Structures are given as structure tokens and as C-alpha cells.
Amino acid sequence: MEFVDRRSLVRLLTAMGLGICGIGQRHAIGMEERKPVSRRVIVIGAGLAGLAAARELQNQGIEVVVLEGRERIGGRLWTSNKWPDIPLDMGASWIHGLEGNPLTDLAKQAHAKLIETSYESNRIYDVTGKELSEAKETQLDRLRDQFQSAIEAAQEADEDTSLREVAERLQKKLGANEQVRQMLSFLVSSMLEQEYAGSATKLSAQWFDSAEEFDGEDGLFADGYEQIVKYLAKNLTIKTGQIVRRVVWDQAPIRISTATEEFTADQVVVTLPLGVLKAGGVKFSPSLPKPIVTAIAKLEMGVLNKCYLRFPKVFWPTDVDWLECITTKHGEWVEWVSFVRAANVPVLLGFNAADRGREIEDWTDEQIVASAMTTLRHLFGADIPEPIDYQLTRWASDPFSFGAYSYNPVGADPKFRRQLAKPVADKLYFAGEATDHEYFGTAHGAYLSGLRAAEQISDL
Ligand SMILES: Cc1cc2nc3c(=O)[nH]c(=O)nc-3n(C[C@H](O)[C@H](O)[C@H](O)COP(=O)(O)OP(=O)(O)OC[C@H]3O[C@@H](n4cnc5c(N)ncnc54)[C@H](O)[C@@H]3O)c2cc1C
């Protein structure tokens, strides 16, 4: 008998029991001819999920209005054009895994230019600010393998545990000295927290990586992710500045109240980010069913913040995309992306994730930039130039997302996302990255969840 591990088994049972449709099927939506149906659907949120759902429904002849709280569309796809020569993404930047990814096709349709970047194209610096020696690189690789094995063992255990606990157990087992401790802290930050946006103290060892991935390199939009947003939004009715406050859904039609107006609909697609649902600022009347309320409570919203620094000239290595550093303080400016290879501009992008990402949101812009510069001076010398400008984000405090993207903490497994994706009384359809158990936390997950909600409505 073939060995099937615990997680594969759960995935298998899920796929059998719930009749999950594959991507091929999802893409068939809208391709067959459907009779126009006289129905009105309100989509809450003009992010990727909302736009995808609205476009599919409109293609099927259903009347759709999108209500968006912000004065702009795109949600967590947000391209800044502050620097005219280089559009920069403040939310998602990459199509993760270009092969078979529905966003790769969409980018082609939108005539968007993609630049491939690779995590392999990187340089790592140690705590002294020097490039990692070959011996230390070998040591780091060995530690990475040991950590990976420790995580795999934790995934087979009966009880779930946090990734921090897995790291601490390994540290103890190795009798780790200060250098190994710093390397492990680097791995926790760069491999886990920067990727999944959750704190290692909360990330579930068993389920943090339960999402599927597409193969291939990552693709960066030369002119920003907004090209996808504009392409999808074409010909849709979108009302911006409409902050939804209340949805009364136990009657026909459903009533949706915003801060200034009231709308009615036969069905509502709710693409509010998990952070907004958790904050409870949008009231549902009657209250949402228990499985949905539980899912919202159990899943968590992570934080990833970006800080772009523009310099008068390049002073860092130009042959790699990623610069990484092992730091004494956990998570402090561990990952940087250089825009020299990709766009030939003297711009560096520094990240802060999870607890550290949350912590810096209370700082002033000047404090954040000064802290970034301390790290860069440590790596590249005291005489590097000051940045001529910066752009940064504070996703955790953003009232329209309250975080960057969702993750699985200890106590949450994929069933909660499937609960979120189930229609409520043929009236409410939740979509958005957090509702996609296969690809949560990503732009393609958001897109596919929008198509799924549209299919659920058109199947009525
Ligand atoms: C910093 C950062 C980096 C990322 N990097 C990547 C990446 O490189 N690759 C990748 O694949 N993914 C990445 N992601 C994740 C990706 O951006 C998201 O998963 C995706 O954009 C979510 O889309 P969505 O439609 O589910 O939600 P959103 O885009 O958040 O859309 C929800 C919409 O609802 C609106 N809304 C909120 N409250 C209300 C209200 N009360 N009334 C009306 N409207 C409301 C919001 O304004 C928003 O427009 C990143 C995210 C962040 C923040």
C-alpha cells in the first residue's frame, strides 16, 4: 500500500467529499452559453476576488453592482505611481508560480509585461554585515534541512504546535550557540514569517503550508498589478466610496446599507478581507451561521509591510534580486529586493513581517526609514547616500483590510476556509483570498475564489 501522510489523506477526503472543482472546470465558467437571468447581485469589495466574481456574473447576463469602500479599486492590489518612471506595488507584487497560474493567462490578455525574478538570485549577509562565508553558508543550509525535517516531524505528530515551538525544540536539541540561534531566527523570519505573514508563535506547524503552489518562477508586473485590476474592471458598474455597514439578508430582496446609501440585491458576494470580518464593523442581520462565525474567529490575518527606498545611485550588488541578512534582532529588515535587475532603477524594497511588521506601524515614517538605513549602513558602509524618497505601507492599521493576508494559526485547518466558501441560504457568498483553501494568502487564490462564488450563484 502506498504511504499516504496525514495531510495528504485529509486533502484526499476533502476532495472526495466536497466535490471540489479543479481549475480547469473553474475556467470553463462563462465559456458555455447561458441564458440571461433577471437577477441583481451586489458584490462587496472591488479587490481581485470581487472584480473576478462581478466580471463572470456580468458575462452571464446577471446585473451586478460592485460596492467599494475606498476611493480606489484593487484592494490589496495597489500600484503607486508616485515615481513616474517606476510604478510600484504596495500590496501584491508577484504572480507566484507562473506555470498554470490563471493570473499568467490574465496578464497575457491584459498585455501586461512580466519580469521573472528568482529567490535563487540572492546574497546573504551575516550579523557582522559581511557576506556569508562559504563555511557559514554550508552551516546555514544544514540548519535549514534540520529545521525542515523538524517541521515535517511536527506535521506527523498527533497534536499541532506552533512553528516557534518547533524552532525552539530544535535549538535545544542542537545545544545551539548564539550564532546558530541567530541563523535559526533568520530562517524563521525569511522562510516562514515573510512568506506566510503570521508570527511563528502562532503559525500552525501542521497547516501553515497547506496551500497548493503553482510551478515556475515568480513574475513581477513591469507596470504594476493595476493592469490586471483595470482589465477586470472594464465595463463593470463599480461604486467607490461606499463603505458597507450592514447587510440584512433574511428577506427578499437583501438590503445592503453603506454609510450613505441603501442597495438591494437577490444575492450578495462578500469579499471583505478576513481582517475586516474579524473587526466586526460590518453587521450581518441576522447573525452569520455558526460555522462562518467560527471560521472567521479561528483563521488569522497576518502582516507584511513594504518600504521602498529610492537612492541617487546604486551602492549594492546588482547581479541579484534578493539581499538577505541575518540580524541580532528577530525579523529586523531581513529581506530586501533590488529593483536594479528587474527595472534598472536605484530602488530597494525592505520588508517587515508578522510581529515586527505590526510593531513598526506605530512608528513615524522618519523612524521607519532611519531604522532601514541603519541596517543598510551596517551592510554597505557608513558613507552610502541618504534615500531621496520613500514609500511605505501600514497594512495592519488599514481599516479596509486590517492586515496583509490570512494564515493558519494553531487550531485552524483547511476546513474553516471551506466553511467560509459555502453559500449561506443561497443569499450570501463569501469570496476573497481567505476563503480559498487551495491558494489562500495569494492573488491567484483571491481570483479563483471570485470565480467560485460566481459559479455558485450561476448554478442556483
Ligand atoms: C504587502 C502585501 C504583499 C503581497 N504580496 C503578494 C504577492 O506578491 N503575490 C500574491 O499572489 N499575493 C500577494 N499578496 C496577497 C494578495 O494581495 C491578496 O491575497 C489579494 O489581493 C486579496 O484580494 P481580495 O479580493 O481577497 O481582497 P482585497 O483586495 O482586500 O479586496 C477586498 C475589497 O473590499 C474593500 N472593503 C473593505 N471593507 C469594506 C467595506 N466595509 N465596504 C466596502 N468595501 C470594503 C477593500 O477596500 C478591498 O478593495 C500580498 C498582500 C500584501 C498586503
Side-chain angles (χ1 to χ4, degrees), residues 45 47-49 68-70 75-76 91-94 96 244 272 432-433 442-443 446:
L48 195 44
E68 168 55 49
R70 300 179 202 263
R76 283 171 274 169
S93 292
W94 284 272
H96 286 307
V244 172
L272 296 168
E433 57 84 11
T442 64

Side-chain angles (χ1 to χ4, degrees), residues 43-51 67-78 89-96 101 103 119 218-220 225 239 241-245 258 271-274 276-277 281-282 301-306 351 393 395 398-401 403-406 431-435 439-447 449:
V43 174
I44 303 178
L48 195 44
L51 294 175
L67 302 179
E68 168 55 49
R70 300 179 202 263
E71 294 299 340
R72 63 166 179 84
I73 62 170
R76 283 171 274 169
L77 299 188
W78 171 28
D89 278 306
M90 312 304 282
S93 292
W94 284 272
I95 295 182
H96 286 307
N101 193 316
L103 295 186
Y119 282 120
D218 292 339
L220 193 64
Y225 239 122
K239 293 176 183 282
Q242 292 286 352
I243 303 173
V244 172
R245 299 269 195 238
T258 71
T271 76
L272 296 168
L274 179 69
V276 172
L277 291 169
V282 181
M301 195 67 171
V303 181
L304 180 67
N305 275 315
K306 293 183 165 182
F351 294 92
T393 63
W395 283 104
D398 183 325
F400 294 108
S401 65
Y405 43 92
S406 64
E433 57 84 11
T435 70
Y439 299 106
F440 60 87
T442 64
H444 47 272
Y447 178 69
S449 77

